[in-house]
Every structure is written in C-alpha cells, then in structure tokens.
Amino acid sequence: MITIKDLHASINGKEILKGLNLEVKAGEIHAIMGPNGAGKSTLASVLAGKEDYEVTQGSVDFDGKDLLEMDTEVRAREGLFLAFQYPIEIPGVSNINFLKAAISEIRQHKGMEPISAKDFMALVREKSKIVELDAKLASRSVNEGFSGGEKKRNEIFQMAMLEPKLSILDETDSGLDIDALRIVANGVNTLKSDKNATIVITHYQRLLDYIVPDFVHVLYNGKIVKSGTKELALELEEKGYDWIKQELAEEV
Amino acid sequence: MNMDTMTLSPVKRFVETLDASLEKSLATKSRQAELLDRMESIDFPTTRTEAWKYTRVAKISKNQFYVNKAKLTSAESFFIKNLNALTIVFVNGFFAPEHSDSISENGLTITPFSLAKQSEIDALNKIEPGFDDVFSILNEAYAQDGFYIHIEKNKILSQPIQIVHVLTGENTIAQLRNLIVIDESAQAEIIQSYYTDNSINGFSNIQNQVIIGKNANLTIEKIQYENGENFHICRDKVKQDADSVFTTNTVTLDGKLVRNDLNIDVIGQNATTHLNGAYLTKDNQHVDNHTLVDHQVPNCESFELYKGVMDENSTAVFNGKVLVRKDAQKINAYQSNGNVLLSENASVNSKPELEIYADDVKCSHGSTTGQLDDEAIFYLQARGLSKSSAKQLLVSAFIGDVLNKITNKSVRNHIDAILLERFGWEF
C-alpha cells in the first residue's frame, strides 16, 4: 500500500525526518509511537502534503504511484486520509456541504458518476451512526463549537464517508475521555478491511488496547529505531522512552 | 484655448457640459441658480477631506459627462427572474415607459418625477438632501429625473417594487433624485438595481430621500452591477419614525468607483434598523461605503453588518459611524465590518466609529481584516477539494453571512447568478 524509503524532511531549514523507512500493506494496522518532538506529526503532515515541509531526500510509493509528486487534494482523491490532531473550526462551511463537494471531486477524479443527493444523505445517516455522531452535528459548520471528542469523532465520520485506502490517525486519542476513545476506536475497527490500511500515531499505549496493531514502530529523532508487535507498546509503556534512548546510545 | 476656459474651476468646467446637454432639471431655475452660487465656493473633495480620505474622485472630476437620452431595445435581461414585481425602468437616468409596468393600485403611487404633479416635485425640492458636497449639489441642481414612491397608511404591498437603472453609451451621466415615502403601518420592499449596457465612462449620481412613517416596515435592496468602466455615487438620507423597521441590503458587485453614503436619522422611539452590505471586488475596482446611524431618541436598536472580499488590485473603504445623542438612552447598537483580502495587491481601509453622548446604552463595534485561513484551506484539500474549491467555499461562507440576510429568494438567486458569472463562485 505505502512504501516510505529514506525519507528526509525539514521545516524552515531544520531537519525533522532523518531517513525514515516504513512499509504498510493492505489489511494492516501500524502504530507509530515516540516521544514528543520525534517527528510523528511531521510524518503525518508530510504524507498529507503540507506545503510548510520540504522533502529533501527519499521516496514514498503509494499503490504504485509517487505520492510526493501529488498535490494534497490528489493524495486525498487517491485514497489517503489524515485524521488531524487538531481539527480546525471552519465557520460557515457546513460539514455536509463540504463533504458532498469532496466526494464529488473524488468521484470525478476516479471517473465515477456523481453521487445523487438521496444516496449521499443515506450515506451520511449510515456513517454518522458508526461514530455515534448526532445528525445535527453532521450538518453544522465544520467543527464549530464542537467539543474535543466531537471533533475527533467528526474526523472518523469523514474518514467513513470518504472510504480511504490508507488512513493516518494523528494522535486522535490525545485528550479524549474513555467513552469518546471507545467510540473512535470502534469506528476505526468497523471501517477496517483487508483492502485498506491504517497508521495510528500515538503517544499513549492506551489507544492500542482498543485498536490492536499488527506492528508497532518507535519513532525517535526522525527515524524508526525499533519495530515489533503489540508487545513492544506494552514494553514502552512499562519502561518509558528512556529505555530506547539508552539502547541507541549503547549501539553507538 | 481662450482665457475663460483656462481659468474655469473644475466644478464650473464640469457643469458647463451639463448645462449644454440637459434640457430641464427637476430643480426650479431659481433653485438651480442658488445651488450654482454655492458651487462657486467649493471644489471637488480631495483626500484631505476627511469623508473622502481614501477615495480619489479625480477620474470623475477630470472627466466630461453628457446627458444622453438613449433608448434600449429591451431591458428584460436586467429584470430579476421570478420576482413578480412592479417594475420601473430608467435608461441613462430617464424614465423608460416602454420597459416599465403601468401601475394603478390603491394606496400606492409610483411615478417618475418627469411625469409627476408639480406639487410632488415641489415636495421633493423642499427636502434638504442631507449632504453638502459637490456631488450632492450637482445632483440637486441637475437632477434629470427620479422616481416618487408613496405607500399610503396601512397599505401592505403584495409585490416588491423593482427599479432598474441602465447606463448606456459613452460618458453618460445619469443624475436621479428619488423620494420614497411610506406612511404609518404600511409595508413594502423596494429593489434598486444598477446595470450597464455597453457603457463606457458613465456616471450615475443618485440621491434617495426616504421617509418612513410610524410602525411602517420598509426593505430596500440595492444591487450595484454597473461594469468596471463606470462610476457610481449613491446617497441615501433616511428618516425613520417610531416603531418602524427599516432594513437595507447593499450589494456591490462591480463598478470602477462606487461610493455609497447611507445616513439614517432615527427620530422615533422603538424603531429597528438593519444595515447590511456586501462588496466583492477585483480588477482595479474601488468601493467605498460610508454609513451613519444617528440615534436621536431613546429605546431603539440598530444592527449593522458589512463584509467585503477584495481580489487583484481592488480597494475598499468602510466607514461606519453610530451616533447616540445625549437623550437617546437604552439604545442597542451593533456594528461589524469584516474583510478578506484574496491578493497581496488588494487593500481595505476600515473605520468603525462610535460617538456616544448617552450613558445608558449598549453599543459594540468591530472590524476584522485578513486573508483566507491557510490551515482551513489545507484541511479542505486534505479531504479532496482542489485549492480553488476550498477557497471558494471559504469565501462563500464568509460573505454568505451577509447575503443570508436577504430573505427574498428571487433577489438572492439573482445575486448568486451574478457572483457565479463574475467571480465563478457558487453558493
């Protein structure tokens, strides 16, 4: 699905990603953990195509296509989805209207017929249930006046509507109470299939009790320094990141 | 060139061509002479004049304009679709009966002043325009026509009134003086719209006198869509009596230089005033909105919302003043102006003013100017929208706030169609 090779990226001349390698196959869930400042959110932003970041080296292959050559919207239309860490409030732009516009541009990109208003509304009803998002919230302005939990649920609702191939959840769990966390995780698990894949970026092991990863990677100082299965997350929880730092220091 | 022409003041020079081309003004000869005397001592405003600080009028004052009685083969393309209105058309500032509805309805008078009774013209001439600069005096002295609308007591108009102005030809001047009188407990909606049909260097100089009786309800919509080769100055002086509701929506969509002055005297208690304005500019357009709400009596409310979106090399000015006089207690007055600049070369000068002499009032004002939020654009792009769709969505949301105040669906559809045509924006 996605193959990242030796990815280097910087912002304002400061290098944040320093040779990152990662491969995610269809049907898999990968968790990326790491201390603050390791480059987790940078990775999410770079994959989504944020212009502030400059890719200086490396390649990203997304289902046979060069991801880094694509504009942000083309990446989305090709099936990449980023659930934002801080979903922005957009007053006056209704959730429903913008999703309808997004879906029609995505379908046009794929050479598909536009979706009918009736089918679209049916889809909204079906998908909003997955994250227990009130239909009223779905039709309000994007994230405006939403609670933290509602914003994150809205991200997963949009993910459900757009049916991406690869979803990147950027610290979707941070700041969530346990009920909201369960709802969000349940949404992600419901949407999981053998045709799509998920990268879960998180600071806390707790999320991984609810979204069980096939692989866990530790991102530190701009690189993946350790990979393993879900047990690695538990080990990190127990020993903290200093353990990784020490290990790395010993290797040198 | 002879000495006389050389020493003529700009105002005199301007007036000469008017004198030569206008047969008859609404003003009497003696009144016109008086006004010309007054003009002797004043000049066109410059940027040193506070009220014109950001609007240069040299392009108007150095131009020559002529009165031009032209005809249009058809005016229907300018009419708002499905409006079901009583429609009156003016071409180059002259009443065009061939395009207008003939109206006979109890309790309603609509007549061009060119066909009005002398008593009605006299009534108009008795009213002080409420502005004292050259453009106002020129209008009063050389008004070529105008409309008189009188809605009598308790009359509820079932149809809106649509006044369509079309400019055509080269260097055409259209000076209209209009009078709207709505009596006690009457209700009406009046839509004034301005268009061009192959007009270059045209100039509309308009003054509206609006007198709103007790408990009356009046909505005035203004759609300004003269093309970017033309000038437009419009003055409104409104007097609002007790328990009345006045709503005015000004939508400026094109024009090289557009200046609106909207002055509202609230003279009766418990009156409500809504002033909404949207200005959307590009190319080298310049749009200037000046408003004044003068709360002279207690227990009234006014709500003002003006928003603008400026692209390319265009500029805008907003100057909104709320005046609350000493005895005007318990006033609620809210004013807000927001601007979005879509290009680095676009600019806006926004000046909200509150002048309050009463001590028990609730007033607020605010002004914001900025660019579209890059984070919001990125968010929308990350969902598959192109950058231009994302921008358009944000602009629509921003300006939609004001446009949603227009409750007449046909008027709103008409404006949306123009926005799509001129800016490619869909709402």
Side-chain angles (χ1 to χ4, degrees), chain A residues 50 73 77 82 105 155 158, chain B residues 379 381 383-384 386 389:
Chain A
K50 199 154 203 272
E73 61 268 30
R77 292 170 194 169
L82 170 64
E105 290 198 27
E155 293 294 287
Q158 292 177 34
Chain B
Y379 186 92
Q381 277 183 288
R383 298 296 178 254
S386 66
S389 301

Side-chain angles (χ1 to χ4, degrees), chain B residues 68-358:
Chain B
N68 169 9
K69 268 195 172 173
K71 295 241 182 268
L72 287 182
T73 46
S74 165
E76 216 155 304
S77 61
F78 301 111
F79 296 176
I80 295 171
K81 287 187 191 74
N82 307 316
L83 186 63
N84 184 29
L86 304 167
T87 300
I88 298 286
V89 178
F90 288 83
V91 176
N92 287 353
F94 292 101
F95 176 57
E98 67 277 22
H99 304 304
S100 303
D101 291 335
S102 61
I103 296 157
S104 74
E105 196 173 324
N106 273 341
L108 172 68
T109 305
I110 305 180
T111 178
F113 276 110
S114 52
L115 299 176
K117 297 178 200 128
Q118 191 55 45
S119 61
E120 289 163 342
I121 300 173
D122 290 345
L124 173 75
N125 283 326
K126 268 194 210 121
I127 300 170
E128 279 290 323
F131 300 89
D132 58 3
D133 56 57
V134 170
F135 295 111
S136 177
I137 299 170
L138 276 172
N139 173 284
E140 206 188 338
Y142 289 94
Q144 55 210 61
D145 206 340
F147 60 79
Y148 171 55
I149 296 177
H150 181 200
I151 302 130
E152 291 171 25
K153 187 175 171 181
N154 294 332
K155 173 76 184 175
I156 310 292
L157 280 192
S158 55
Q159 293 171 277
I161 298 168
Q162 172 177 229
I163 315 281
V164 175
H165 298 268
V166 184
L167 271 185
T168 182
E170 277 180 41
N171 293 62
T172 306
I173 190 164
Q175 301 203 81
L176 290 136
R177 235 190 130 193
N178 307 314
L179 174 60
I180 297 168
V181 180
I182 179 163
D183 290 345
E184 188 179 316
S185 300
Q187 183 174 329
E189 178 183 8
I190 300 168
I191 300 139
Q192 289 172 260
S193 47
Y194 299 87
Y195 307 96
T196 44
D197 182 29
N198 291 316
S199 174
I200 295 169
N201 265 324
F203 176 27
S204 297
N205 188 23
I206 316 285
Q207 295 206 79
N208 294 305
Q209 315 292 331
V210 183
I211 298 165
I212 303 171
K214 290 192 175 77
N215 200 38
N217 190 316
L218 177 67
T219 299
I220 294 181
E221 253 119 28
K222 248 182 247 166
I223 300 168
Q224 298 174 319
Y225 192 40
E226 287 158 322
N227 78 34
E229 302 289 334
N230 295 274
F231 310 99
H232 183 102
I233 294 180
C234 185
R235 270 62 199 282
D236 285 61
K237 178 77 176 175
V238 181
K239 276 198 187 341
Q240 210 185 334
D241 211 335
D243 304 310
S244 62
V245 179
F246 175 54
T247 304
T248 181
N249 305 315
T250 306
V251 182
T252 310
L253 300 157
D254 203 355
K256 182 184 251 170
L257 188 161
V258 177
R259 163 70 179 239
N260 296 311
D261 283 89
L262 176 57
N263 288 10
I264 301 167
D265 291 346
V266 187
I267 56 171
Q269 292 200 29
N270 196 34
T272 307
T273 315
H274 298 273
L275 305 76
N276 304 303
Y279 41 100
L280 300 113
T281 62
K282 59 178 187 176
D283 308 324
N284 289 303
Q285 275 188 270
H286 179 89
V287 176
D288 179 345
N289 278 293
H290 270 62
T291 66
L292 169 64
V293 182
D294 184 351
H295 283 291
Q296 302 180 0
V297 295
N299 300 313
C300 293
E301 287 190 302
S302 63
F303 304 90
E304 178 167 15
L305 176 66
Y306 270 68
K307 280 191 165 186
V309 178
M310 277 62 68
D311 201 356
E312 299 176 353
N313 297 307
S314 62
T315 51
V317 179
F318 173 80
N319 189 307
K321 183 168 172 178
V322 176
L323 173 60
V324 182
R325 305 241 178 196
K326 191 162 159 268
D327 298 321
Q329 302 292 1
K330 307 278 183 197
I331 295 293
N332 291 335
Y334 305 97
Q335 184 196 69
S336 162
N337 174 233
N339 300 286
V340 165
L341 303 174
L342 294 180
S343 122
E344 282 181 14
N345 297 320
S347 67
V348 62
N349 282 290
S350 172
K351 189 177 172 195
E353 287 179 83
L354 283 178
E355 203 175 308
I356 302 171
Y357 298 99

Side-chain angles (χ1 to χ4, degrees), chain A:
Chain A
M1 173 97 35
I2 193 164
T3 307
I4 304 170
K5 279 188 186 151
D6 192 30
L7 186 65
H8 291 249
S10 48
I11 184 163
N12 301 327
K14 185 171 185 262
E15 189 168 62
I16 310 284
L17 298 183
K18 301 169 180 173
L20 186 141
N21 295 292
L22 180 69
E23 185 172 7
V24 177
K25 295 197 175 74
E28 294 176 349
I29 296 179
H30 288 238
I32 295 179
M33 303 185 72
N36 288 328
K40 301 193 298 294
S41 284
T42 297
L43 175 64
S45 295
V46 167
L47 293 180
K50 199 154 203 272
E51 281 169 8
D52 304 354
Y53 294 91
E54 192 193 354
V55 174
T56 51
Q57 208 178 312
S59 67
V60 180
D61 178 285
F62 184 48
D63 244 6
K65 290 179 183 163
D66 183 354
L67 186 79
L68 300 176
E69 281 297 306
M70 299 176 199
D71 287 334
T72 296
E73 61 268 30
V74 178
R75 299 179 193 201
R77 292 170 194 169
E78 288 284 332
L80 185 122
F81 182 89
L82 170 64
F84 283 77
Q85 183 178 6
Y86 305 110
I88 191 164
E89 297 190 11
I90 313 181
V93 174
S94 100
N95 242 338
I96 294 292
N97 283 353
F98 115 75
L99 274 175
K100 191 153 195 288
I103 285 179
S104 72
E105 290 198 27
I106 290 169
R107 290 176 75 101
Q108 195 182 2
H109 177 80
K110 291 179 177 167
M112 292 160 72
E113 289 287 309
I115 189 166
S116 75
K118 189 168 160 264
D119 290 349
F120 176 77
M121 287 318 293
L123 199 64
V124 168
R125 277 193 296 276
E126 180 199 329
K127 303 296 187 185
S128 54
K129 273 192 203 128
I130 295 177
V131 283
E132 298 171 34
L133 193 70
D134 192 321
K136 277 183 212 134
L137 283 183
S139 56
R140 284 222 320 246
S141 287
V142 180
N143 296 323
E144 195 185 23
F146 285 28
S147 70
E150 284 167 347
K151 283 181 185 171
K152 297 296 174 80
R153 272 149 66 190
N154 191 26
E155 293 294 287
I156 307 303
F157 164 63
Q158 292 177 34
M159 174 177 145
M161 289 292 291
L162 301 177
E163 296 177 340
K165 284 192 271 192
L166 176 67
S167 302
I168 302 161
L169 311 183
D170 187 7
E171 305 218 14
T172 299
D173 56 321
S174 53
L176 288 191
D177 63 54
I178 197 69
D179 290 333
L181 181 71
R182 276 203 193 105
I183 293 168
V184 163
N186 182 47
V188 174
N189 291 329
T190 309
L191 297 169
K192 183 186 172 193
S193 80
D194 55 4
K195 293 198 177 55
N196 62 26
T198 311
I199 297 174
V200 182
I201 293 172
T202 182
H203 196 72
Y204 304 104
Q205 184 275 334
R206 187 182 68 167
L207 175 68
L208 307 180
D209 289 341
Y210 298 92
I211 301 174
V212 180
D214 299 297
F215 299 96
V216 173
H217 310 276
V218 179
L219 180 60
Y220 176 67
N221 199 17
K223 284 183 192 173
I224 303 275
V225 293
K226 202 171 181 69
S227 295
T229 55
K230 63 181 189 219
E231 283 72 27
L232 176 58
L234 292 168
E235 205 174 348
L236 279 171
E237 178 82 354
E238 202 180 301
K239 297 182 181 169
Y241 289 106
D242 286 344
W243 157 62
I244 300 279
K245 291 178 195 170
Q246 266 171 17
E247 250 191 27
L248 284 173
E250 280 161 21
E251 277 173 30
V252 173

